[in-house]
Amino acid sequence: MSEQAHISAAHHDPFVAHQFDDRAQQTEAVSLGMWAFLVQEILFFGGLFTGYTVYRSYYPDSFIAGSYILDIKLGGFNTAVLILSSFTMAMAVYSAQNSKKGSLIGYLIATLFLGFVFLGVKVIEYSEKFHHHHIPGFGFQWHEPIGNAKNVEIFYSFYFAMTGMHALHMIIGAAILIPLIILAWRGRFHKDYYAPIEVFGLYWHFVDIVWIFLFPLLYLIGRHAHVG
Amino acid sequence: MEHAHAADAHPTPALYGLILGALLIFTGITVWVAFHDFGVLNNIIALGIAGIKTVLVVLFFMHVKYGSRLTKIFAVTGFLWLSILISFTLSDTETRKHLRQEKNVQWPSGWAPLPADVKEPGAPIAEHGEHHEQAAESH
């Protein structure tokens, strides 16, 4: 440490790690590294979206039937909650960039709270599916007048795989947010150092984007179906 | 340097608020559209709106608009590779789809056809599956 300080004696920036030339280069490397991870995440969820597309093309009527009985009010509410949480997260990054400690903590807590609201609604939806025996592979039952039970079960396999993987990302996000809030409380983040907030923001917005596609693909495709 | 100006420009809270409003309005539009029958356009509109929302989130909330050219390339690459994954997969499955729904096809063992989707309401599925098995056995 003392050697390093010695080498770059004249203009050493305490917030720039020694492998970087300057702060701008460090900032770019940080967000670029996160984007490399997110590109991998896009393709990770992409496999599920591809499978969904293939099977929806095979069984369009059963997918519409399965979608029809999802609760659009809860799904729509959760969409708004997640978009709002993306806004509070963007504002948290803005607060960190401007060294506003109080509003940084406030926006991080708001983001965490909205994340828990989303997960709480998801618990309500999952337990309702459990009560109606709409869990694929566990005595799946289908008594609606439309759709083929075997194929609706495929729709629900995708529903649970996709929303479950999304919810797991939300849980991981919440688990990272809590230590970030504690560190923010201790005053670790300010205009010279906010990389963890910025990078976590990228992750949180990505999870929001996944839901932006899940909502229409799962909840909305059966809305104009006419059920007798 | 490409990244030199990146730190200068940052979105303001007012802009974030504007993006929030746009995202909520687009969500409302996509719900409204879903309740009306536009045929194949329903899918196109739903995915188009989701795409617009994604672009707004990526450009402003994720700061890609203010990022370096390299960051932009990374972001675009992710979605480009996703489109390759989906389009190449569909170019296979869509061109063989009719085979799976034809009844009198000689299937190799382990390649039994999946039951085609039921158009008529209330058609029992067990019978449907057996029908295909019988068709396969009769060959």
Side-chain angles (χ1 to χ4, degrees), chain B residues 24-77:
Chain B
L24 290 174
I25 287 167
F26 275 122
T27 304
I29 294 172
T30 201
V31 170
W32 182 85
V33 167
F35 278 96
H36 296 76
D37 196 347
F38 295 108
V40 283
L41 278 179
N42 274 91
N43 285 327
I44 294 165
I45 296 168
L47 288 175
I49 289 176
I52 293 168
K53 287 163 79 179
T54 299
V55 168
L56 289 177
V57 171
V58 168
L59 284 184
F60 297 100
F61 281 176
M62 298 174 90
H63 304 155
V64 167
K65 184 177 187 292
Y66 312 93
S68 68
R69 200 165 288 174
L70 191 58
T71 310
K72 290 185 174 82
I73 291 172
F74 266 53
V76 169
T77 303

Side-chain angles (χ1 to χ4, degrees), chain A residues 49 52 56 63-64 67-68 70 72 75-76 79 83 155 159 162-163 208-224, chain B residues 26-27 29-35 42-54:
Chain A
F49 279 103
Y52 167 93
R56 181 171 160 194
F63 268 54
I64 284 172
S67 168
Y68 184 81
L70 288 176
I72 189 174
T79 305
I83 287 172
F155 171 82
Y159 169 80
M162 294 168 106
T163 61
D208 183 28
I209 289 171
V210 172
W211 186 261
I212 283 174
F213 281 92
L214 287 182
F215 176 57
L217 290 179
L218 295 175
Y219 289 79
L220 297 181
I221 61 171
R223 281 312 128 182
H224 56 267
Chain B
F26 275 122
T27 304
I29 294 172
T30 201
V31 170
W32 182 85
V33 167
F35 278 96
N42 274 91
N43 285 327
I44 294 165
I45 296 168
L47 288 175
I49 289 176
I52 293 168
K53 287 163 79 179
T54 299

Side-chain angles (χ1 to χ4, degrees), chain B residues 13-28:
Chain B
L15 181 62
Y16 284 144
L18 214 61
I19 300 300
L20 170 67
L23 290 172
L24 290 174
I25 287 167
F26 275 122
T27 304

Side-chain angles (χ1 to χ4, degrees), chain A:
Chain A
M1 188 63 198
S2 59
E3 280 176 34
Q4 184 198 329
H6 196 70
I7 291 163
S8 52
H11 37 255
H12 178 69
D13 185 335
F15 297 107
V16 174
H18 68 270
Q19 68 267 34
F20 296 113
D21 292 338
D22 54 30
R23 211 177 279 193
Q25 192 194 39
Q26 175 173 267
T27 305
E28 187 187 339
V30 165
S31 62
L32 205 58
M34 192 59 193
W35 266 104
F37 171 72
L38 291 183
V39 168
Q40 173 276 133
E41 285 274 89
I42 290 169
L43 290 170
F44 172 74
F45 276 99
L48 288 167
F49 279 103
T50 307
Y52 167 93
T53 310
V54 168
Y55 279 92
R56 181 171 160 194
S57 169
Y58 282 162
Y59 311 122
D61 297 331
S62 292
F63 268 54
I64 284 172
S67 168
Y68 184 81
I69 60 154
L70 288 176
D71 194 327
I72 189 174
K73 287 189 185 122
L74 291 180
F77 174 78
N78 255 357
T79 305
V81 165
L82 218 49
I83 287 172
L84 198 59
S85 84
S86 248
F87 169 76
T88 57
M89 191 59 227
M91 287 304 295
V93 175
Y94 175 84
S95 305
Q97 284 168 339
N98 292 280
S99 300
K100 292 176 179 167
K101 183 185 166 186
S103 71
L104 169 62
I105 295 167
Y107 280 120
L108 287 179
I109 290 173
T111 306
L112 181 65
F113 172 75
L114 291 168
F116 279 135
V117 170
F118 179 94
L119 288 170
V121 170
K122 216 72 217 132
V123 168
I124 295 169
E125 287 187 273
Y126 278 10
S127 62
E128 198 227 359
K129 290 281 158 288
F130 189 80
H131 282 299
H132 289 94
H133 303 285
H134 290 156
I135 309 291
F138 295 91
F140 185 85
Q141 291 175 22
W142 186 251
H143 305 295
E144 305 298 322
I146 53 167
N148 173 320
K150 273 276 173 252
N151 301 340
V152 176
E153 193 172 1
I154 293 175
F155 171 82
Y156 274 101
S157 298
F158 278 108
Y159 169 80
F160 280 103
M162 294 168 106
T163 61
M165 200 51 76
H166 179 267
L168 180 65
H169 277 74
M170 298 283 296
I171 292 165
I172 292 168
I176 297 170
L177 253 177
I178 292 165
L180 284 183
I181 291 168
I182 294 167
L183 290 173
W185 188 271
R186 292 181 188 163
R188 283 280 290 277
F189 306 120
H190 43 78
K191 67 178 172 55
D192 294 314
Y193 179 72
Y194 57 87
I197 304 290
E198 165 90 23
V199 164
F200 178 78
L202 291 177
Y203 174 84
W204 195 260
H205 297 311
F206 167 78
V207 176
D208 183 28
I209 289 171
V210 172
W211 186 261
I212 283 174
F213 281 92
L214 287 182
F215 176 57
L217 290 179
L218 295 175
Y219 289 79
L220 297 181
I221 61 171
R223 281 312 128 182
H224 56 267
H226 302 289
V227 179

